[in-house]
């Protein structure tokens, strides 16, 4: 309770949570004879790491028109980091741990304020990833082999795709295939105004004159505002710009009367 006056009260509820997990053992096999239990790379399971570990190619920008581009790649494709410096990109030598899909922490804040007959409530929901957690793949597969613009490939043009006129883009060219075309991972962290409501309790002494025991008027909203750097429908569900079957989080507005006789 933050404020408790005769005509005004303000109550606040806050919760915060985090969770961590580690794989301790898998099949117990040591097929390469190095004395260490083998990971299950094809299943994305690694001993000593979490179930949500992201293992893949590190992306270092996008190949440009004037670059010395290796065979199998074109201007607009993601530039992959050659981790061992052998001049080749291979899954055995050049994949690394990029982060995790699990959140670093999540929190919620519930505020309830009462002023005379008015009650105002709002709930803020947030999931945060910190430096390298709560990551999600966000990219478009495009239509390989087609040419032209994002519009005539049936993609919206308000996303930051690469083109010769847009060399500092966030996303690679969507219709030019590459020898290795990994997804790019971005933070899904967000803060959302999830619920908000305002209610007015009509004085009983007034409504009882009309045979009404209780009368309350209210207006409420759900999912009215989300603050995030994630592109696409919804950071919480991980629906990004490459999902053709995705739907946005629905906003809802409610006006109502609560009456009893």
């Amino acid at each position: 309770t933050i404020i408790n006056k005769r005509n005004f009260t303000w109550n606040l509820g806050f919760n915060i949570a985090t969770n961590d997990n580690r794989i301790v053992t898998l099949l117990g096999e040591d097929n390469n004879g190095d004395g260490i239990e083998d990971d299950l790379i094809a299943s994305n399971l690694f001993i000593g790491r979490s179930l949500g570990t992201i293992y893949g190619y590190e992306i270092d920008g996008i190949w440009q028109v004037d670059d010395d581009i290796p065979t199998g790649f074109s201007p607009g494709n993601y530039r992959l980091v050659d981790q061992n410096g052998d001049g080749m990109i291979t899954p055995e030598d050049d994949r690394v741990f990029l982060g995790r899909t699990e959140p670093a922490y999540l929190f919620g804040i519930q505020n309830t304020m009462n002023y005379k007959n008015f009650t105002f409530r709002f709930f803020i929901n947030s999931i945060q990833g910190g430096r390298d957690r709560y990551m999600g793949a966000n990219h478009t597969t495009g239509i390989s082999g087609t040419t032209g613009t994002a519009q005539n490939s049936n993609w919206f043009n308000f996303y930051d795709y690469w083109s010769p006129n847009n060399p500092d883009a966030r996303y690679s060219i969507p219709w030019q295939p590459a020898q290795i075309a990994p997804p790019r991972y971005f933070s899904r962290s967000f803060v959302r105004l999830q619920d908000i409501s305002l209610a007015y309790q009509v004085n009983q002494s007034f409504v009882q004159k009309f045979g009404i025991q209780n009368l309350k008027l209210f207006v409420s909203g759900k999912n009215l505002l989300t603050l995030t750097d994630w592109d696409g429908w919804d950071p919480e569900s991980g629906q990004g710009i490459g999902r053709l079957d995705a739907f946005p989080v629905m906003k809802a507005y409610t006006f109502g009367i609560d009456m009893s006789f």
Side-chain angles (χ1 to χ4, degrees):
T1 299
I2 297 176
I3 297 176
N4 188 11
K5 301 293 185 179
R6 178 181 177 184
N7 290 325
F8 180 69
T9 62
W10 179 11
N11 294 318
L12 182 145
F14 176 76
N15 68 79
I16 186 169
T18 186
N19 194 3
D20 203 6
N21 70 87
R22 303 276 180 204
I23 296 175
V24 177
T25 186
L26 291 167
L27 301 181
E29 297 179 348
D30 180 16
N31 294 319
N32 59 6
D34 63 355
I36 301 174
E37 183 180 351
D38 294 339
D39 298 319
L40 295 178
I41 298 176
S43 300
N44 206 62
L45 299 174
F46 303 90
I47 295 172
R49 295 187 176 271
S50 77
L51 290 169
T53 292
I54 301 171
Y55 183 67
Y57 297 97
E58 182 182 357
I59 294 173
D60 181 26
I62 297 176
W63 289 112
Q64 304 298 325
V65 173
D66 295 330
D67 289 341
D68 184 13
I69 303 174
T71 302
F73 297 88
S74 302
N77 294 151
Y78 286 131
R79 183 172 56 232
L80 310 184
V81 176
D82 181 7
Q83 301 291 340
N84 64 353
D86 63 357
M88 299 182 295
I89 302 295
T90 61
E92 295 80 11
D93 298 321
D94 296 307
R95 288 186 295 175
V96 294
F97 296 106
L98 301 175
R100 296 170 57 173
T101 59
E102 300 105 334
Y105 62 94
L106 52 120
F107 67 87
I109 303 174
Q110 171 77 49
N111 282 274
T112 303
M113 302 176 187
N114 292 281
Y115 176 70
K116 295 184 178 179
N117 289 14
F118 289 94
T119 300
F120 177 60
R121 290 190 178 95
F122 66 93
F123 175 67
I124 295 174
N125 177 37
S126 178
I127 303 179
Q128 296 294 320
R131 182 176 62 87
D132 61 354
R133 294 195 185 186
Y134 205 48
M135 307 287 287
N138 202 0
H139 66 107
T140 174
T141 55
I143 304 174
S144 297
T146 63
T147 58
T149 63
Q151 296 97 305
N152 59 37
S153 289
N154 289 326
W155 292 97
F156 296 114
N157 65 349
F158 48 76
Y159 291 121
D160 192 13
Y161 297 124
W162 182 92
S163 73
N165 296 326
N166 187 31
D168 298 323
R170 190 179 195 189
Y171 302 105
S172 64
I173 190 170
W175 52 83
Q176 183 63 53
Q179 180 181 352
I180 302 175
R184 191 170 189 176
Y185 290 87
F186 297 89
S187 172
R188 294 164 52 199
S189 298
F190 70 91
V191 177
R192 173 173 289 154
L193 178 60
Q194 191 157 307
D195 294 284
I196 186 169
S197 66
L198 177 65
Y200 177 72
Q201 181 74 49
V202 182
N203 289 329
Q204 284 188 322
S205 59
F206 174 75
V207 299
Q208 286 175 355
K209 298 177 181 179
F210 305 95
I212 301 172
Q213 294 298 317
N214 184 72
L215 177 62
K216 182 169 67 174
L217 311 176
F218 65 89
V219 58
S220 66
K222 285 184 175 295
N223 304 318
L224 300 188
L225 177 66
T226 300
L227 303 178
T228 183
D229 289 331
W230 177 261
D231 282 334
W233 296 116
D234 179 33
E236 188 170 15
S237 64
Q239 297 180 115
I241 64 175
R243 289 283 301 274
L244 300 181
D245 58 345
F247 297 93
V249 175
M250 299 300 292
K251 293 182 180 181
Y253 303 90
T254 304
F255 303 88
I257 300 174
D258 186 0
M259 183 184 303
S260 60
F261 295 91

